[in-house]
Structure formats: C-alpha cells, structure tokens
Amino acid sequence: MKNIIDIQNLNFGFSKHKPILKDLTFSVPKGSIFGFLGANGAGKSTMMKLLLGNIPDGSNSFTIFNQNSSEFYPDGFNKIGSLIDSPALYDHLSGWDNLLIVSRLRDLPGAECERVLTLVGLWESRNMKVKKYSLGMKQRLGIAITLLGESELLVLDEPVNGLDPGGMVEIRKLLMELNKKHGITIFISSHLLQEIEKMITHLAIISHGEIKFTGSMEDLEKQYMHQYITVGLFNASKFVNEVPERYSPRIVDTNTIELKVASKKEVANIVSGLVGKGAEVFGIINGGGLEDWFMEITKY
C-alpha cells in the first residue's frame, strides 16, 4: 500500500451556501509524518472529523487503507488512534487506571497498557494521579491511549498546542520515534509552523478550505527555496570572491556575506568550499523556511 489516505475532489459544508472544504485532493503516504497545515478556521478540524467518521462522508471522496469510510468503520478503529484537541482523562485516577479503562472497553489485554506506557516514557509515572501530571505528560498519556491495539495510523489535531517549549520538544521526539522505530504513519494538524517543520516529511497547506500546496518537504523546498541567506565569517572581503557568481555574493559588513541560494544542499556546498579556502564560518541565518513559504503560498 503506497498511501494510507487518498482524498479526491472532496467538497463539504454544513450548508450548501457556505462550503468549508472545496475540492480537496491530496494523499498521505504510508510511513510519513504528514502535516496538515493552516490557520485557525481554515478547515483542518472539519477534515479530521470527516476522516474519523465523526462527520459522515456522503460523497465517498476519500479512502483509508484502501477502503471508503462507510466500509472502513467501525472495524477500522482498530487501525487508527486519534487525539483531537486535548485528551479526555480522569484526573483523579492514575495514568495506569486511565489506560486500563480504555483497554477493557476495547477488550484488550492489560499487557497493552504496559507496552504503550513504555513507548511514551510514562512507565515510571504510571501510578501517579493524572492531576499531578504536567501538560506534556498528559499529552503523552493521550498519545498512549491512541496507541492501544497497535495503531498503524495516528490522527492528531494540534497535539503541541498550549505546551511550553520543553513539552513541545518531548512530543516531537516521541512522534518521530514512533514513526521511525515503529513505522506508524502520523497525520498531524497544526498552525505552529516552526515546531511542525522539525518533524514532518510531507504536508498539505490549506487556506479558506482550499489546498494551496501538497507534496514532500523536498518538493516544497525545491519550489520555494529561492531565497537570501547570510553567512557570518571573519574577514568577509577576503572570501567573497571565492563564492561562485551564480549565488550573487554581496558583502553586508566586515564579517557577513549575503548569498542567494535554491536549496540546503547549495548552502552546504558553499560553506564547505569557504572552509576549504580557510574561512572561519561562525554562523548562517536562513532567510526562509516553512513559515515564510506558508505566508507566500497563502497570501492570495
């Protein structure tokens, strides 16, 4: 199976006169961390609710695991774990008891609770009352619940929203580990672009209910990374002529050169060449990135 999710020409609205999703077409490759990115109100949560069957898809415009939603659910929930907004937890119970309740409802063995708590790094805190958990720990516990039953796909709506920087790093590392070590495909929505850029492999950008870009991060970089960067190095005037003219090198000040590049590979090659000529490079400031590209893609 090449794609876990395939969406073709999906239109949806609660009213015929106010469409929320307009002709959406994109695919989520198996084994990817797929970012579904857009501003608040762009249609992200509506799309996720359609995917999970919370809102009926009368048009059969998408498939999950090669089945349309009416065929896939309810048995398909054994393959999918989802976390929309913040997890619903019993604060007066321990992390272990929260998991035990869900596992019994799903007729899963208690060993599943141990497995998922270990995966998310909460085994040592399993007996602590959830009300004493930090926000990051609660989010990890919510993800543990989504992993019960060995889910192959996680659908996560804004999983780092409201977390402090340390909590964001915890969740990012956890999701990347689940993806790389356990082969779990992750479909994640977010408007926190600087954080999401560090983990996703593929993405779709939605604005006002329409897909403005879809593809891999490499595709996005190739299409939009024609940008200026600044390289910090000592004695810039000595080394500016060592940079090929196609990069439009320009001295900014005594210790800074500005260059126009089209890829991260070009940046690496330029810096390697400068160091090979004896330059002492102490910094690179990137003039672009997902946040800048997002603003350019969605400005119309």
Side-chain angles (χ1 to χ4, degrees):
M1 184 191 308
K2 184 178 179 181
N3 296 319
I4 293 284
I5 300 169
D6 275 305
I7 300 169
Q8 293 291 326
N9 308 117
L10 172 64
N11 292 278
F12 178 81
F14 294 105
S15 165
K16 291 182 179 179
H17 305 292
K18 290 186 177 180
I20 298 172
L21 304 175
K22 307 166 189 175
D23 202 29
L24 265 59
T25 296
F26 64 92
S27 299
V28 178
K30 183 178 181 179
S32 65
I33 301 181
F34 190 98
F36 190 49
L37 312 180
N40 290 330
K44 301 191 303 298
S45 295
T46 299
M47 182 67 250
M48 295 191 127
K49 290 174 182 176
L50 280 165
L51 280 176
L52 295 170
N54 295 347
I55 301 173
D57 171 36
S59 63
N60 285 327
S61 299
F62 65 87
T63 60
I64 308 177
F65 293 93
N66 290 332
Q67 292 181 285
N68 63 44
S69 59
S70 60
E71 297 171 336
F72 184 68
Y73 295 116
D75 291 344
F77 284 119
N78 294 320
K79 291 184 175 183
I80 293 181
S82 63
L83 179 59
I84 307 298
D85 297 322
S86 57
L89 303 170
Y90 296 102
D91 281 353
H92 64 290
L93 299 178
S94 67
W96 173 263
D97 287 337
N98 269 271
L99 280 168
L100 201 59
I101 289 170
V102 179
S103 65
R104 286 178 176 173
L105 285 171
R106 296 183 58 185
D107 199 26
L108 296 170
E112 267 295 281
C113 300
E114 180 177 351
R115 182 184 72 85
V116 297
L117 279 171
T118 301
L119 274 180
V120 302
L122 287 177
W123 178 248
E124 298 300 324
S125 305
R126 64 189 181 281
N127 294 319
M128 184 189 299
K129 295 285 179 66
V130 168
K131 63 185 176 183
K132 295 183 179 179
Y133 278 20
S134 67
L135 282 176
M137 291 172 72
K138 288 181 179 179
Q139 205 71 350
R140 278 192 280 157
L141 182 59
I143 292 172
I145 292 173
T146 71
L147 292 168
L148 286 168
E150 300 192 17
S151 301
E152 297 177 45
L153 168 67
L154 297 188
V155 178
L156 308 176
D157 188 16
E158 303 280 4
V160 297
N161 202 21
L163 298 183
D164 61 24
M168 289 184 184
V169 171
E170 286 181 7
I171 298 302
R172 182 197 344 134
K173 288 182 176 179
L174 170 61
L175 295 178
M176 293 176 72
E177 182 175 348
L178 292 172
N179 175 256
K180 290 180 179 178
K181 290 188 177 181
H182 303 278
I184 297 172
T185 303
I186 299 172
F187 183 78
I188 179 172
S189 80
S190 183
H191 65 278
L192 301 174
L193 302 181
Q194 289 183 337
E195 179 59 30
I196 207 76
E197 182 179 11
K198 298 170 185 174
M199 71 175 92
I200 60 174
T201 60
H202 297 73
L203 73 159
I205 293 175
I206 184 171
S207 178
H208 301 292
E210 299 179 352
I211 296 296
K212 300 296 186 179
F213 175 89
T214 185
S216 68
M217 282 297 292
E218 289 181 358
D219 294 334
L220 182 67
E221 180 183 307
K222 287 176 183 177
Q223 188 167 340
Y224 288 96
M225 195 180 170
H226 293 279
Q227 63 186 21
Y228 287 95
I229 64 166
T230 56
V231 178
L233 74 171
F234 297 114
N235 199 357
S237 60
K238 179 180 176 181
F239 296 100
V240 67
N241 292 327
E242 302 294 343
V243 180
E245 288 186 8
R246 65 179 179 276
Y247 298 121
S248 305
R250 183 179 72 86
I251 294 176
V252 177
D253 58 38
T254 306
N255 296 322
T256 309
I257 295 174
E258 183 182 76
L259 308 170
K260 186 176 183 179
V261 297
S263 69
K264 292 178 182 177
K265 182 67 174 176
E266 287 187 352
V267 176
N269 289 340
I270 291 167
V271 171
S272 177
L274 286 169
V275 172
K277 297 291 185 177
E280 297 176 275
V281 177
F282 58 80
I284 299 171
I285 299 175
N286 194 333
L290 181 57
E291 191 170 85
D292 291 328
W293 300 331
F294 177 89
M295 295 303 294
E296 182 177 345
I297 291 168
T298 59
K299 65 184 176 182
Y300 299 113

